[in-house]
Amino acid sequence: RGFHTKNGSIRTPQNIQSYATLATIVFQTNQNEEHGGQAIPAFDFFMAPGVRKTFIRQLSDRLLYAHSLLSGRSFSDEERKSFVEALRGLDPPLAHTDAAAEALAVGLDRIGYQLPATAVRLALEEAYQRTKRDTHQAMEGFVHNLNTMHSRGGNQVVFSSVNYGTDTSEEGRMVIRELLAATVEGLGQGEVPIFPIQIFKVKEGVNYNEGEPNYDLFRLAMETSAKRLFPNFSFLDAPFNLQ
């Protein structure tokens, strides 16, 4: 719902880039007001709505553009807003499979936007790829900012940590994948990004065993840690943490 600082208020962000940028600002603001480090305990869960908003915006733009090309007319701002709301109601999954495209085509037909199946499939594919790119750039910026932004009168960068690994939604999974990818890439000259300190949360039933929803991300996190020292790992089923 946005937040307030002593200098003003910030509206609710509307895309993943803004979510990630505001996360760094929250970190920096907190750092200047409190001693010690700050942590975001469920980074994947908190960033996922930003990925969702980005996907819906990208998908609506692609679909309306296809509709304009085929119908020969443009859409007003009000029509665009109305379409975005209708698209949210259809709740299309963050996927680009044939099944997802077929379901989306049926839903669009139901709300009065008839498009050829090929156009819907291509729009879905493009929206997914653009959302992935936007999420990667957002996570890349998040890592770069936290290794360069000064705090406490410029004496150090923001001492920060993020925890993730247990969001099994496609949006949360995309956040984790792209954050790990940005970590492997490193900073401007390939340096290891020290901040934020990253903690991958390991839990049976979620990501610890083969066949569990986020097992692939657990493996990816281990590969990343082998190359870049981070993430660290927190075992949620350990007696100390299980409570």
Side-chain angles (χ1 to χ4, degrees):
R1 296 182 296 277
F3 61 92
H4 298 271
T5 69
K6 68 175 69 175
N7 298 316
S9 59
I10 304 296
R11 288 189 295 272
T12 303
Q14 295 302 316
N15 56 57
I16 185 57
Q17 290 100 328
S18 295
Y19 269 70
T21 299
L22 292 180
T24 64
I25 293 172
V26 170
F27 264 138
Q28 187 181 43
T29 300
N30 247 15
Q31 187 91 136
N32 286 319
E33 294 178 351
E34 299 179 19
H35 181 72
Q38 279 78 42
I40 295 178
F43 186 72
D44 42 357
F45 285 93
F46 297 151
M47 293 293 108
V51 176
R52 186 67 187 166
K53 291 177 182 180
T54 297
F55 176 62
I56 292 295
R57 177 175 57 82
Q58 292 287 4
L59 183 57
S60 66
D61 286 349
R62 307 283 85 71
L63 291 170
L64 287 177
Y65 183 62
H67 202 285
S68 292
L69 289 176
L70 293 168
S71 66
R73 78 175 188 89
S74 59
F75 292 85
S76 67
D77 289 343
E78 286 303 315
E79 286 176 314
R80 288 178 177 276
K81 289 179 182 177
S82 176
F83 179 73
V84 169
E85 288 304 314
L87 188 60
R88 284 200 186 102
L90 295 178
D91 196 26
L94 181 62
H96 52 97
T97 62
D98 289 340
E102 290 172 9
L104 178 58
V106 171
L108 290 171
D109 187 68
R110 192 168 64 246
I111 62 174
Y113 289 86
Q114 292 80 24
L115 284 171
T118 302
V120 175
R121 182 174 57 80
L122 290 174
L124 195 60
E125 168 72 23
E126 183 71 9
Y128 181 90
Q129 295 301 336
R130 285 176 178 258
T131 301
K132 182 174 182 283
R133 181 201 64 190
D134 289 349
T135 303
H136 183 80
Q137 290 180 336
M139 295 303 103
E140 187 177 54
F142 180 70
V143 170
H144 278 69
N145 283 335
L146 285 176
N147 284 275
T148 55
M149 291 172 66
H150 282 214
S151 69
R152 295 184 186 142
N155 292 323
Q156 66 178 54
V157 292
V158 179
F159 195 85
S160 52
S161 61
V162 293
N163 301 260
Y164 56 80
T166 55
D167 187 346
T168 58
S169 73
E170 285 306 311
E171 291 79 5
R173 284 170 48 78
M174 182 174 282
V175 169
I176 298 167
R177 277 197 307 270
E178 300 310 321
L179 179 56
L180 290 171
T183 302
V184 169
E185 290 170 4
L187 302 180
Q189 296 184 2
E191 307 97 317
V192 173
I194 302 302
F195 293 108
I197 295 169
Q198 299 179 39
I199 301 99
F200 189 94
K201 298 187 289 186
V202 182
K203 184 165 180 63
E204 288 199 67
V206 178
N207 55 33
Y208 186 56
N209 299 298
E210 189 170 358
E212 293 173 350
N214 283 0
Y215 178 72
D216 58 329
L217 298 179
F218 180 36
R219 288 183 61 91
L220 186 60
M222 288 189 286
E223 292 174 14
T224 303
S225 186
K227 296 173 182 176
R228 289 299 190 180
L229 306 179
F230 296 109
N232 298 323
F233 296 87
S234 175
F235 290 82
L236 302 189
D237 296 316
F240 181 82
N241 292 327
L242 192 58
Q243 59 184 311

